[in-house]
Amino acid sequence: MVRVGIIGAGIVGSTMAYELSRIPGLEIIILEKNPPNHWEATGAALGVLLGGLSQKRGGKHLQLRQASLKRWDTLISELEAITGQPLPYNRHGILELCFDCQAWTKWQGIQGDRQTQGFPLALWSVAEVQAHYPEVATGGLVGGIFSAQDRQIAPIPVTQALRQAAQHQGAKFHFQAQLEPMVTSSGQVRQLSWQHQADQQSQEIDVLVIAAGLGSSSLTAELAATIPLQPVLGQAIHYRCPTPLTQNWPVIQGHDIHLVPILHSSPASPEFWVGATVEFPVDSFAPEQPDPVKLSQLQAQALDLFPFLAQAEVVTTWSGIRPRPVNRPAPIIEPLANYENVYLATGHYRNGILLAPITAQLIATEITQILQP
């Protein structure tokens, strides 16, 4: 039996726990410093799964996006079968509003690439955008790019389902676990110890995966490695509309503003998230406080694009922190230098929800090699 320890039970750590719990010969424990209902980066996300509408024409990162997006389709079905509960999953695609003629020409070229990749795009005229979604303002619009293969989830209920399914398959979660110094020997982490209230526990491990978001920096520092992660703040606004709108909304985005349906809302009074701002800290490693000016700017831009929101009620506003690697691309999915049995699955920045399945699969591939005779 190979014992795998995972630090971090957000959507990345929980997806990993689920995928690894499906592999015979593995014993999985997950340590999370927060209570089960406390969310950090996983709660700081709108759940947009964007693969076809990436402006990258090729390359490794696009391949990761598309592979992960395909896994989400099967993963949602598996989780619903195990938990016996339907999960909020928007299969109505994503619509990109294009306001730039050069960008429109670029999308025409990308369209052929996506057809070959299995992510066909439809290029809509302004009239077609108006016909599908008359609530959207079209002043200055060149056209719309619609990706029927892109998706949207609700991150928190899906993460809860991942945890439930992983536990069903034998994974053991420990919440409010205050980690103590790790026991290392000969280039390996050998044991994890933690406290839960007054209870002291420990577990010998064969493999360690660090999936702790911003907390990954301090954990790797304990292992004499430097993985700097920058906290980038985002804000969003929750709207509730007083009357029904067009049915079957996709995510709609333009000018880097996302209109994201809230999937459990009533068709009689549909609800949306609008977001999210991107607020870099002045001090690279100190989280900022939410900037009310940036929130007001987001609201004004959203009303320009989606004027029907002027009649909608602002239910709440939201802010959260995303971990962004410093001086290197996101995400970080790799072995930790100088350790034979430690892997990193962190620093996903704005794509942690999208890339959680492929991250889990890549780590699972590494670990299953240990099982080879």
Side-chain angles (χ1 to χ4, degrees):
M1 184 69 70
V2 174
R3 296 158 297 190
V4 180
I6 300 170
I7 302 178
I11 196 164
V12 172
S14 296
T15 307
M16 204 171 320
Y18 171 73
E19 294 285 17
L20 293 174
S21 70
R22 301 169 65 226
I23 301 173
L26 297 183
E27 178 182 334
I28 316 299
I29 68 160
I30 307 92
L31 304 182
E32 169 58 52
K33 67 178 182 179
N34 292 309
N37 59 352
H38 181 92
W39 306 96
E40 293 192 346
T42 298
L46 300 178
V48 177
L49 309 179
L50 191 150
L53 279 176
S54 169
Q55 290 199 341
K56 295 181 182 294
R57 299 190 71 157
K60 180 181 178 182
H61 190 73
L62 179 66
Q63 292 171 359
L64 291 178
R65 281 174 174 262
Q66 293 179 344
S68 206
L69 190 51
K70 290 177 180 178
R71 176 61 179 137
W72 269 119
D73 271 351
T74 57
L75 182 55
I76 291 292
S77 298
E78 290 173 21
L79 295 176
E80 289 178 332
I82 293 171
T83 64
Q85 298 293 327
L87 288 172
Y89 191 50
N90 188 348
R91 298 177 183 267
H92 299 306
I94 300 180
L95 173 63
E96 171 85 19
L97 302 175
C98 181
F99 297 90
D100 182 270
C101 291
Q102 288 185 333
W104 183 254
T105 301
K106 182 178 179 180
W107 278 114
Q108 289 173 321
I110 293 172
Q111 185 182 33
D113 297 332
R114 292 294 181 270
Q115 187 72 35
T116 302
Q117 294 160 357
F119 285 82
L121 301 177
L123 302 186
W124 290 352
S125 67
V126 174
E128 288 174 308
V129 172
Q130 287 179 314
H132 283 93
Y133 301 102
E135 297 91 346
V136 175
T138 55
L141 187 67
V142 177
I145 307 96
F146 179 68
S147 175
Q149 269 65 46
D150 286 353
R151 301 284 186 256
Q152 173 211 348
I153 66 167
I156 289 174
V158 170
T159 304
Q160 291 169 329
L162 284 161
R163 293 173 178 177
Q164 183 181 344
Q167 288 173 315
H168 178 77
Q169 294 169 167
K172 295 181 174 62
F173 285 79
H174 300 272
F175 293 97
Q176 295 177 276
Q178 301 305 309
L179 194 65
E180 298 192 342
M182 292 176 270
V183 176
T184 64
S185 174
S186 303
Q188 296 191 8
V189 174
R190 302 286 192 176
Q191 180 176 293
L192 297 176
S193 299
W194 66 96
Q195 280 193 335
H196 174 66
Q197 298 174 355
D199 187 22
Q200 176 81 27
Q201 299 184 57
S202 64
Q203 174 69 60
E204 292 184 356
I205 59 167
D206 300 298
V207 181
L208 174 64
V209 184
I210 297 175
L214 285 171
S216 302
S217 292
S218 59
L219 292 168
T220 55
E222 182 184 335
L223 299 174
T226 302
I227 307 294
L229 296 169
Q230 180 183 49
V232 180
L233 190 142
Q235 298 186 78
I237 307 167
H238 177 178
Y239 285 96
R240 180 183 296 122
C241 299
T243 56
L245 300 170
T246 302
Q247 295 294 303
N248 300 330
W249 278 77
V251 172
I252 302 180
Q253 58 190 36
H255 295 314
D256 205 29
I257 295 170
H258 299 78
L259 181 77
V260 181
I262 293 179
L263 301 176
H264 59 71
S265 61
S266 165
S269 54
E271 299 175 37
F272 297 90
W273 283 111
V274 169
T277 64
V278 179
E279 302 176 37
F280 290 93
V282 176
D283 178 338
S284 294
F285 304 104
E288 292 289 290
Q289 292 300 310
D291 185 342
V293 173
K294 292 188 181 296
L295 190 67
S296 296
Q297 291 171 342
L298 172 67
Q299 186 166 26
Q301 291 172 312
L303 292 176
D304 286 342
L305 274 179
F306 311 111
F308 68 90
L309 293 176
Q311 282 71 52
E313 169 195 2
V314 174
V315 178
T316 187
T317 59
W318 154 96
S319 68
I321 300 289
R322 289 78 58 96
R324 178 179 180 267
V326 177
N327 298 325
R328 60 175 299 176
I332 302 171
I333 309 170
E334 63 191 29
L336 181 64
N338 301 320
Y339 283 85
E340 299 175 8
N341 71 333
V342 181
Y343 297 91
L344 302 174
T346 191
H348 290 75
Y349 189 28
R350 300 175 75 185
N351 289 307
I353 309 299
L354 169 62
L355 296 178
I358 192 63
T359 301
Q361 289 181 335
L362 291 171
I363 296 295
T365 298
E366 293 278 351
I367 292 174
T368 51
Q369 292 177 359
I370 298 173
L371 299 175
Q372 301 300 319

